[in-house]
Amino acid sequence: MSNNNRTKLSRKTTSIARKLNNSQIIREFMAVFFLNVLLFAMILGRKVSDIYFRSGQRIIDVHFYHGKNIGDARLVFQFKGDASETIYLLKLLDQYFLPAFILILFELMFLISGCLRIAKIRRKLKPLNDLAIKTEEISRGSFDMSKVENLEAAITHMNPDEIDVGVHTGDKDLQSIEVALNNLLRQMKESERRQARFVSDASHELRTPIAVIQGYVNMLDRWGKNDEEVLEESIEALKNETSHMKELVDQLLFLARGDNGRNKMNMEQIDLSMILQEVWEESEMIDTKHKYDFAQGSELFITGDFAMIKQCMRIFIQNAEKYSPENTTIKLSAGEVEGYAFFRIQDEGIGMEEKDVSHIFERFYRADSDRNSETGGSGLGLSIAKWIVDAHNGNIEVLTRPELGTRFTVKFPKSRVND
């Protein structure tokens, strides 16, 4: 389409907007005009009433004389008894000038602000105008179909195995479509990479307990039928490994449901401090190898799923248990800051290197040799905690030093009571 035709089409598609703009300006101008007329009429009415009350007689006739000069324009009021009174309009306008001038200044400011608002609205409506132009082009059959063909060809010749796969036509008119498609492709490639890594890591994690189970089953088959010691050892090992596998599968299912948006959440108003106190009491009862210090706080209400928040707290405490020497202290506290309610878990454990902090919430990640499969669990706990926090629009802050310990601070948006 030529530039001339495009300009005509743009004018046509914006005709309604122009009419609306013009209508708005006319309305504001008429408002200004009538305000001035009203002000002049009020001054004239006051003048007439002064004449009436001063003469004390009824007005029986009014004549307008314009004369040869503008200064001769006057109104002559005839009273009963042949008395008359003349009002020269130019002198009346002189009296009107000062209040009218002030009024006009305000009116001009009002008109200017109105025009600025209209200009701002037109700028915001420009994308809709552009869309209207494109729609008109297509409806008229004047859209260049070769652009669509170029786009189809670029998509057809893409190699999905390329790392930086993308759509590139070189056409400026298709640039926005290219950006949208390439963003979608990048997200799909990233999702594919995460899925492939997840399957690989899950397979690796499941391979170890399966191999252990298979080894003990073979040992039972050879010697355990008649040896009670071997039998008891094998049964205990099989119970531990199956329990570990069940935990791993449950965690995998939780994350899979979360990725697919199928984790059901019962959102309600809950007290973060009260939940932390419950977890502290349970931890003291279950774990006798560490000391627990809980700083009692005031009520801290958030909107969330009670069970998931509690699970999140347990994960951070279990993480502190695993990587803290016996008889060390694990500190629990809760508070609020800048509209957020938070809970904090601090240990005196092995800590982490700075390079590991950015990866600790990745699935199956373990920082070093100290975090092996024997002490480090499945490597999914912190990933689950991160998912729960993200699902509640929260965030996690990590402060850690090697051999000094780690502190996790988890923040959630605070809610008002009975929101």
Side-chain angles (χ1 to χ4, degrees), residues 266-279:
N266 180 27
M267 305 298 284
E268 58 183 342
Q269 193 173 73
I270 54 179
D271 183 358
L272 197 67
S273 183
M274 183 269 291
I275 301 174
L276 187 62
Q277 182 174 352
E278 286 186 12
V279 175

Side-chain angles (χ1 to χ4, degrees), residues 174-192:
L174 300 176
Q175 189 171 7
S176 59
I177 299 177
E178 288 180 17
V179 171
L181 285 174
N182 290 334
N183 286 337
L184 177 61
L185 288 170
R186 277 193 291 271
Q187 291 174 11
M188 292 172 63
K189 292 291 287 184
E190 180 61 28
S191 176
E192 182 184 355

